[in-house]
Amino acid sequence: DTAVSQTPKYLVTQMGNDKSIKCEQNLGHDTMYWYKQDSKKFLKIMFSYNNKELIINETVPNRFSPKSPDKAHLNLHINSLELGDSAVYFCASSQLQGSTEAFFGQGTRLTVV
Amino acid sequence: SQELEQSPQSLIVQEGKNLTINCTSSKTLYGLYWYKQKYGEGLIFLMMLQKGGEEKSHEKITAKLDEKKQQSSLHITASQPSHAGIYLCGAHRRDDKIIFGKGTRLHILP
C-alpha cells in the first residue's frame, strides 16, 4: 500500500501549457504539503494545507494553485508553464502540523520544453 | 531566517568505512528529520529526533541530536554500496514550517 502517491511520475510539456499534479495520502493525516526540488537538490516548501485549509503559502508565482478537495488529496495546478518550472515536485503529509514526521510521495519530475 | 547547514556537501568513502554527516542550525530545532534520496527516486524517511541528547539507530545508521537541539549528526558504520544517495536533514521551525538542508551526496567506492 502506497502511503503518499503522486501522479504522474514524469511529466513533459511545452511552455505555456497548463498541467496538474495529483497527490493522495491514505494515512489519515491532517496536513499535506507541496515541495519543489530544484536542479541543485534543494527542497523548498511551496504550500501546506491542514484539513483542506491553506496554512502556508510561500512566495510562489500565482500560476501555481493548490487544490484540496478533501483531507486526503492535495493537487497542484500550474498555469502557463515556464522553463524555470522544470523541477521535481514532492507531495508530503503529516499527522499534525509540525509535530510528527512527514511522509513523502515519490515525486513528479516536471520538464518544460 | 533559520536555515539548516549540512556538511559536507559531498562525500566519497571506501566501502566498509565509517562516515558522519552533520546538520547545524543557528536556532533551536523543534523536530529534526533525516531522509535519504536515492538518485532519481523519492525521499525515504530514516529517523526523527525531538529531544535534546536523543539518539536513534536503524541498522547501521545512527542519528543524534545534541542537548541544545541545534546540531544533529548522522553516522554510518561499515558503509555499503546501498548507502549511496543524497542525505537530507529537515526540521520544523517555530512557525511549523518544515525546512531542509541542501543535502549531502554520498558515494561509496567498491
Side-chain angles (χ1 to χ4, degrees):
Chain A
D1 284 346
T2 304
V4 181
S5 60
Q6 290 178 235
T7 54
K9 193 172 180 180
Y10 299 97
L11 183 55
V12 181
T13 187
Q14 287 187 320
M15 282 176 56
N17 284 349
D18 302 338
K19 290 293 178 185
S20 292
I21 305 172
K22 295 184 178 180
C23 180
E24 176 182 3
Q25 54 96 2
N26 62 6
L27 298 165
H29 286 168
D30 296 315
T31 307
M32 295 184 73
Y33 312 84
W34 274 109
Y35 290 84
K36 179 180 178 182
Q37 185 184 41
D38 60 25
S39 57
K40 296 180 181 178
K41 303 299 182 185
F42 185 58
L43 272 172
K44 187 175 181 181
I45 190 167
M46 299 172 68
F47 303 101
S48 168
Y49 266 74
N50 186 267
N51 275 318
K52 301 197 300 174
E53 191 176 330
L54 181 64
I55 302 299
I56 294 172
N57 185 359
E58 292 292 317
T59 306
V60 297
N62 291 335
R63 300 180 293 102
F64 289 80
S65 54
K67 298 240 184 318
S68 183
D70 55 57
K71 199 171 85 164
H73 295 84
L74 182 61
N75 303 323
L76 184 65
H77 189 77
I78 314 170
N79 290 326
S80 303
L81 278 155
E82 300 177 357
L83 293 176
D85 296 334
S86 296
V88 181
Y89 292 84
F90 284 95
C91 174
S93 72
S94 65
Q95 177 58 28
L96 291 172
Q97 190 179 0
S99 66
T100 62
E101 70 267 26
F103 291 78
F104 282 80
Q106 285 288 85
T108 296
R109 184 175 294 277
L110 171 65
T111 303
V112 183
V113 297
Chain B
S1 62
Q2 182 177 351
E3 291 185 347
L4 290 178
E5 296 287 333
Q6 268 188 254
S7 61
Q9 287 188 337
S10 181
L11 192 55
I12 303 173
V13 299
Q14 200 76 40
E15 182 178 351
K17 297 293 185 184
N18 303 336
L19 63 105
T20 299
I21 299 169
N22 294 302
C23 179
T24 304
S25 171
S26 57
K27 298 183 180 179
T28 302
L29 302 170
Y30 291 87
L32 189 289
Y33 313 107
W34 282 101
Y35 293 90
K36 178 187 174 185
Q37 182 181 20
K38 296 284 279 188
Y39 297 118
E41 298 179 12
L43 289 167
I44 301 166
F45 172 76
L46 295 175
M47 275 170 275
M48 181 181 73
L49 304 165
Q50 285 187 302
K51 300 176 184 176
E54 188 175 5
E55 179 177 326
K56 288 187 178 178
S57 293
H58 175 69
E59 296 178 347
K60 294 186 178 180
I61 301 176
T62 301
K64 301 178 186 178
L65 182 62
D66 73 341
E67 290 291 342
K68 291 184 179 179
K69 299 204 301 183
Q70 288 184 245
Q71 183 171 5
S72 178
S73 59
L74 185 84
H75 186 77
I76 299 177
T77 305
S79 58
Q80 300 169 354
S82 60
H83 289 129
I86 299 172
Y87 288 81
L88 282 162
C89 68
H92 283 290
R93 296 193 320 195
R94 193 183 184 91
D95 58 2
D96 276 347
K97 291 181 184 178
I98 300 175
I99 57 173
F100 287 90
K102 295 194 175 182
T104 296
R105 195 181 292 267
L106 175 63
H107 299 275
I108 306 293
L109 298 176

